[in-house]
Amino acid sequence: MKVWTKEVKIALTAIVAFVCVFIGINFLKGINVFESSNTYYVKFRDCAGLQVTNPVYANGFPVGIVREINYNYSDNDGVVATIELDKEMRIPKGSTAELVAGIMGGVTMNLVMGPNPTQFIETHDTITGGPQAGALDMAANMIPDIQKLLPKLDSILANLNALTGNPALNASLDNFQAITTDLRQTSSALPGTMQQIDGMATHFNSVSGKVDALDFDATLKSVDSTLNAAHSLMARLDGVSQNLNGMTQTLNGKLSSKDNSLGLLLNDTRMHSDINHTIQSADSLLSDIKAHPKRYINISVFGGKSK
């Protein structure tokens, strides 16, 4: 009996062809069936277009592929993707996976490594996954905040317009320009002022030199002698004043006393009365002479006898 019959050859050829087709298809998918790998599971709420055979990256380097994608029928929540990573690839605890949408379409999976490089998850453990917050997502999240800011922005613009249209602002700008002009003029006049200050300093130095050259001892002696003469003069004036006071007191005593004519005249009331009586008699005599002059004066024109 022949072993290598026609049927056996056909069966072997079909098996080899099937194996070659299987290897070729996996090779085209990026799966190397001759290399060993570790299997992990990634749970997403939304796979967002992820497909089987999509590459898996870690720090931008391809480390595996997506082997299967299944719906989580047990919890009826989310999708579970089965990934195969290189045998040498070890995932730290706390690592996550994120889906990144490509510019030309398609979705890739990135592994975000955890902070602890010494503790690793075991094979067939589950990794938490989610979509990457791209620029568009961040912009979409910012839209509510931007909408809240729009009324405030309108208020700010209105206040800014009111401020720019305020005549006081234009007046302040004009005043500022005038102040700037004055400052320029002042700065231009500053060198001349500094020269004047230098001249004053030079003059002050010359005056200081002259003051230093003065004989202060002689001057102080002259001042002392002048002060002594002034003190002597003041003493003499005090003596004169005392003499005047004595004379005044003596005169007052004489005027108050009745032992002299002037004091008697000023203090004796009888003498005043006699003098007043004499004056009144003289006045009466003058009045009688004016009224009856013939009693006292006899004038004869022809030399007759007086009566």
Side-chain angles (χ1 to χ4, degrees), residues 121-283:
I121 64 176
E122 299 293 335
T123 306
H124 298 94
D125 283 347
T126 301
I127 303 171
T128 303
Q132 184 188 41
L136 294 177
D137 295 333
M138 294 176 64
N141 293 330
M142 291 174 63
I143 288 176
D145 295 333
I146 295 174
Q147 290 177 348
K148 293 178 181 179
L149 288 176
L150 287 178
K152 297 181 180 179
L153 183 61
D154 292 337
S155 177
I156 292 172
L157 292 176
N159 293 330
L160 184 60
N161 291 329
L163 180 62
T164 54
N166 192 350
L169 179 62
N170 295 327
S172 299
L173 293 176
D174 294 336
N175 293 332
F176 181 75
Q177 185 176 3
I179 292 171
T180 304
T181 303
D182 293 339
L183 287 175
R184 289 178 180 175
Q185 294 177 356
T186 303
S187 60
S188 62
L190 184 61
T193 304
M194 293 302 296
Q195 291 179 357
Q196 293 178 0
I197 293 174
D198 292 337
M200 292 174 63
T202 303
H203 181 68
F204 180 76
N205 291 329
S206 63
V207 172
S208 299
K210 293 179 180 179
V211 170
D212 293 336
L214 292 175
D215 190 356
F216 284 101
D217 293 333
T219 303
L220 291 176
K221 291 180 180 178
S222 178
V223 171
D224 290 336
S225 62
T226 303
L227 291 176
N228 291 328
H231 285 301
S232 177
L233 179 60
M234 291 298 294
R236 293 179 181 178
L237 290 176
D238 288 337
V240 173
S241 178
Q242 291 177 0
N243 292 331
L244 290 175
N245 290 331
M247 292 173 65
T248 303
Q249 291 177 358
T250 301
L251 181 60
N252 289 330
K254 293 293 183 181
L255 293 175
S256 299
S257 178
K258 295 182 180 181
D259 58 353
N260 56 78
S261 298
L262 184 60
L264 187 61
L265 179 63
L266 294 175
N267 297 302
D268 193 357
T269 57
R270 181 179 178 183
M271 182 175 287
H272 282 286
S273 299
D274 293 339
I275 292 172
N276 289 331
H277 180 70
T278 302
I279 293 172
Q280 290 177 0
S281 298
D283 187 30

